[in-house]
Amino acid sequence: MTEAEPDPEREAADEAHARRLYWRALAWGVLTLVFLWWFKHHWQV
Amino acid sequence: MRTVDLLIVAAFLVYIVWDGVRRGRDSKDAEGYMLAGRRMRWWAMGLSVMATQASAITLVSTTGQGFDQGMRFLHFYLAIPFAMVVLCATVVPWFHKARVFTAYEYLERRFDRPTRLLASVLFLVSRSLAVGTVMYAPSIVLSRGVGIPPATTILVMGIASTVYTAIGGNTAVIVTDAKQMLVMMAGLVACVVVAWTSLPDHVGIGGALSIAGATNRLDTFHWPTSVADALSDKFNLVSGLFGGFVLFLGYFGADQEQVQRYLAGSSVNQSRQSLLLSAFAKVPMQFVILLLGVLLYVHYLFAPAPAFFRAPELERALKERPAAESAPLRAQYDALLERYGADAKSRAAAADDFLAANRDLPGDGAASDRDDRRRSAAVDELRRLDQAVRDDRNAGMVLLAEAGLSKLDVNGQPEKNEPDYVFTHFLVTGLPVGIAGLVLAAIFAAAISSLVSPLNSLATSAVMDLWRPFRGDRLSQREIVTATRFMTFVWGGLATVSAFWMGDIPIIEMVNRIGSFFYGSMFGIFVLGRIVPRARGAVGWLSLALGLSTVLGVHWLYNVTGRIRPEAWPKIEFLWYNPIGFLAVLLVGFVASRFTARAPSAAEGR
């Protein structure tokens, strides 16, 4: 398969940065669920 | 609508078309025209991705959902952060490294040309069916709710979108989408502020949310009670986090409408970050839209509201018809108004009683039995009267059907689109001058931004997937760009024409769910390509075709006809079609690959 020329150093830095963002996004997803649980139960009658 | 508001909308439309036309018109090659020269920054692509998904119906209908049913619809979006992370780790780097123009081009390199053609045709068919709805649906709502003729809305949206997309290409699409997303957010915030500040002083935001909670409108975290509930209930945590997860993998990972936005990234991380913007912002945005609907519910609980939100159409019809002809309907309508007036007044009083009972509860939790009983009684009364008002709205829709302005289903039940008109009613009667213009501009922004992306992608896929592979290197870059511009006009014209003849036919309901027939299978074929090295050549299109057939089979034999549905088993909701299609593709691909030639060697690569 034709692919762009790899640049190992830059790719490693990109991947490390991306992984940090992934963890933040996953944490945000979980926090959202927690917030929605709290929101419902706080106002539920 | 006031003249100032219409002028604001007109100015917005003129600006957007001018801005779109001046961007990218000098693109001389395919990469410049279709992929914005691969120069785009994450925030522009990210806003474009969000704007592409958020149509006018998102803004209008979702608010109506919040008003009528509450916030359960939010479950549909909960899987987005998780799906985006998976996509950023998989398809984004795959596509970026492969330097493809379309998602389906990747499939040809991995499997064969028939697989690419099949996937591309599926995209073209499904997206072209949907794009007419993107224009038709808001035109009807704006016509009935705001008074703008549907032909005007359709032509304005169709011509504006087609012209600047054809001339400006993907650069125009992304840049204008980003600006339109900001207009949408501004309009949404303005609506929320006005709705919030218009709540009666004795209610406030706390009281409003209490009332909403008491009437079951704040169910933002619904855990299903059983497996049957998880499968058959429309919006719950399980269907959202599993079914929705695969749906969004397919929509953002295999639908060219979205893929072409982030293929324009200047680096793989710029593309990743564009998707991660949705991971962070999409659910909060939908939360705010649904919350707006809830605030409007409380607002109209205390403020004057029509008996049902399509009442103006009935009143217009009663005025226009001869008195003798409309007398029976008029009598029924007058009776409804009297009944609704009493119910609405009682409901407002019940809401006040509930708030008072709530307020009088000791804050330390040491409520007496008497306090609890008082509050309980207040809640029951509020719910009873809320149902009475809902019944009045239903009765109004039945009268609308009797006037020939709406339809009843086979069970004699009216159309369920009445809540769509809450937002337009608020727009026309509740927003100050200027703000109403901004919000109307936001509706057009939502519609246009959801049109230009599919138009651009339909044209790109038609040229790059169906035409160019057969012309090979005989095509110059200029010819490719010219052909894509031409195809944009073709698709734009077809979409505009289809919006005119669409009518209130059931195709609208089908089109809205059509994604779930395709997305699971489409994403499955990309995953198959990565995890099963032996799956090559014909295994690609075979797996995709059989995966899709499995979904269609389940839909027809299990849900529609019930031929393979055991007694007492529930129907399954459409979100579950996504994982079914995904797993079917993987299973067929894995099995079929056992019968193909030897696995490729490392030297051959994939």
Side-chain angles (χ1 to χ4, degrees):
Chain A
M1 182 181 296
T2 306
E3 295 190 354
E5 284 296 323
D7 180 352
E9 268 186 40
R10 188 174 151 195
E11 275 184 26
D14 282 350
E15 290 302 312
H17 178 62
R19 273 195 298 275
R20 282 193 294 275
L21 291 176
Y22 298 163
W23 283 116
R24 284 178 207 166
L26 291 172
W28 179 255
V30 171
L31 277 173
T32 301
L33 293 173
V34 170
F35 168 75
L36 292 175
W37 175 87
W38 170 85
F39 183 80
K40 170 185 171 171
H41 285 89
H42 185 75
W43 299 106
Q44 192 177 37
V45 172
Chain B
M1 289 296 294
R2 292 157 287 209
T3 307
V4 170
D5 295 320
L6 292 172
L7 285 173
I8 290 173
V9 177
F12 161 76
L13 289 168
V14 166
Y15 171 75
I16 279 296
V17 173
W18 169 77
D19 195 41
V21 164
R22 72 192 179 109
R23 308 264 175 195
R25 65 181 166 193
D26 299 325
S27 299
K28 293 184 175 32
D29 60 10
E31 191 167 279
Y33 183 77
M34 294 171 182
L35 298 181
R38 299 187 202 265
R39 289 176 289 112
M40 283 289 163
R41 306 292 294 169
W42 66 270
W43 53 267
M45 291 186 291
L47 289 171
S48 177
V49 163
M50 290 183 69
T52 298
Q53 190 185 14
S55 71
I57 289 304
T58 303
L59 217 51
V60 171
S61 274
T62 307
T63 309
Q65 280 249 359
F67 174 92
D68 190 48
Q69 303 290 328
M71 298 179 77
R72 282 278 291 273
F73 186 54
L74 194 63
H75 290 82
F76 182 75
Y77 296 98
L78 294 182
I80 283 186
F82 311 106
M84 291 310 197
V85 169
V86 170
L87 291 173
C88 288
T90 56
V91 293
V92 174
W94 301 345
F95 292 157
H96 190 83
K97 281 186 185 154
R99 312 292 284 175
V100 293
F101 283 82
T102 71
Y104 321 116
E105 187 181 341
Y106 182 88
L107 292 176
E108 177 168 357
R109 299 187 195 185
R110 176 59 186 82
F111 294 100
D112 57 10
R113 184 164 292 174
T115 306
R116 176 187 188 173
L117 291 177
L118 177 59
S120 169
V121 164
L122 287 175
F123 162 71
L124 290 168
V125 167
S126 62
R127 193 47 59 195
S128 57
L129 280 174
V131 81
T133 313
V134 172
M135 262 197 277
Y136 173 75
S139 75
I140 290 303
V141 173
L142 288 175
S143 160
R144 292 173 181 161
V146 179
I148 303 174
T152 305
T153 311
I154 291 171
L155 284 172
V156 164
M157 287 194 290
I159 294 172
S161 309
T162 306
V163 164
Y164 84 71
T165 305
I167 296 174
N170 203 12
T171 307
V173 169
I174 291 173
V175 170
T176 56
D177 273 2
K179 292 178 183 179
Q180 291 183 103
M181 192 65 224
L182 295 175
V183 170
M184 277 189 259
M185 287 183 182
L188 187 55
V189 166
C191 278
V192 170
V193 167
V194 173
W196 185 321
T197 54
S198 70
L199 293 171
D201 291 337
H202 73 284
V203 177
I205 186 65
L209 292 175
S210 298
I211 292 170
T215 54
N216 298 317
R217 282 175 167 78
L218 298 186
D219 194 0
T220 53
F221 195 93
H222 182 80
W223 190 258
T225 52
S226 64
V227 171
D229 190 31
L231 292 175
S232 60
D233 178 55
K234 236 182 219 181
F235 303 117
N236 61 77
L237 274 163
V238 176
S239 66
L241 290 175
F242 290 93
F245 177 68
V246 181
L247 180 142
F248 289 120
L249 288 176
Y251 174 60
F252 289 104
D255 191 316
Q256 180 67 11
E257 163 181 288
Q258 288 289 8
V259 170
Q260 198 164 342
R261 301 317 119 220
Y262 58 81
L263 283 179
S266 57
S267 71
V268 67
N269 267 8
Q270 289 294 314
S271 298
R272 282 170 168 155
Q273 284 167 214
S274 72
L275 286 184
L276 290 175
L277 178 62
S278 285
F280 287 97
K282 185 67 183 178
V283 174
M285 187 182 94
Q286 291 297 142
F287 180 90
V288 170
I289 294 175
L290 287 163
L291 186 67
L292 173 62
V294 168
L295 290 178
L296 290 181
Y297 160 73
V298 179
H299 169 76
Y300 284 122
L301 200 154
F302 293 103
F308 61 109
F309 287 88
R310 288 185 65 182
E313 293 171 65
L314 182 62
E315 286 169 6
R316 263 195 305 274
L318 290 172
K319 264 195 206 138
E320 286 161 9
R321 291 176 195 183
E325 183 192 324
S326 62
L329 203 55
R330 164 61 73 184
Q332 289 182 72
Y333 183 51
D334 288 341
L336 170 64
L337 287 179
E338 199 177 321
R339 197 166 65 242
Y340 165 74
D343 288 338
K345 196 171 166 191
S346 302
R347 185 179 63 165
D352 284 334
D353 287 344
F354 166 72
L355 289 174
N358 232 20
R359 221 171 11 245
D360 294 344
L361 279 178
D364 57 3
S368 68
D369 282 346
R370 190 169 157 227
D371 291 330
D372 282 340
R373 277 199 304 273
R374 181 187 166 203
R375 187 171 182 250
S376 234
V379 168
D380 289 343
E381 183 66 356
L382 178 59
R383 286 177 184 169
R384 185 185 71 79
L385 288 160
D386 201 48
Q387 184 58 46
V389 169
R390 196 189 290 276
D391 292 341
D392 293 336
R393 284 170 43 213
N394 215 48
M397 287 297 287
V398 172
L399 291 183
L400 199 68
E402 285 178 20
L405 299 171
S406 178
K407 290 189 186 65
L408 298 176
D409 66 18
V410 291
N411 299 318
Q413 289 302 307
E415 289 174 347
K416 292 192 173 25
N417 57 23
E418 188 255 348
D420 293 351
Y421 297 87
V422 175
F423 187 77
T424 49
H425 181 83
F426 183 65
L427 169 71
V428 171
T429 63
L431 292 177
V433 66
I435 302 289
L438 168 66
V439 173
L440 188 56
I443 294 176
F444 274 96
I448 290 173
S449 60
S450 296
L451 269 173
V452 295
S453 300
L455 288 183
N456 179 239
S457 299
L458 285 165
T460 300
S461 182
V463 169
M464 299 302 269
D465 291 323
L466 299 190
W467 188 51
R468 192 189 182 205
F470 300 99
R471 294 297 304 274
D473 293 331
R474 284 170 287 166
L475 282 177
S476 68
Q477 291 295 306
R478 192 189 156 108
E479 281 173 320
I480 292 172
V481 172
T482 304
T484 314
R485 283 199 165 113
F486 173 74
M487 286 307 299
T488 307
F489 278 111
V490 168
W491 286 115
L494 284 173
T496 307
V497 164
S498 73
F500 273 107
W501 62 250
M502 202 153 263
D504 286 320
I505 50 179
I507 195 169
I508 291 172
E509 175 71 19
M510 182 189 76
V511 161
N512 281 339
R513 296 180 167 207
I514 210 163
S516 286
F517 285 86
F518 294 106
Y519 288 142
S521 307
M522 291 282 262
F523 190 71
I525 197 68
F526 287 93
V527 172
L528 179 71
R530 292 308 280 210
I531 67 173
V532 183
R534 283 181 72 119
R536 305 180 70 74
V539 172
W541 64 260
L542 191 69
S543 308
L544 184 55
L546 289 178
L548 190 57
S549 303
T550 303
V551 174
L552 291 171
V554 165
H555 173 70
W556 186 253
L557 296 173
Y558 185 92
N559 267 353
V560 176
T561 61
R563 281 204 205 126
I564 60 171
R565 180 165 21 110
E567 191 94 16
W569 280 36
K571 290 187 184 182
I572 56 173
E573 261 304 313
F574 70 97
L575 273 178
W576 290 108
Y577 291 178
N578 294 284
I580 288 171
F582 177 77
L583 291 170
V585 164
L586 290 183
L587 183 66
V588 170
F590 182 76
V591 169
S593 67
R594 300 290 114 187
F595 297 97
T596 57
R598 60 175 173 82
S601 67
E604 286 175 1
R606 282 195 183 159

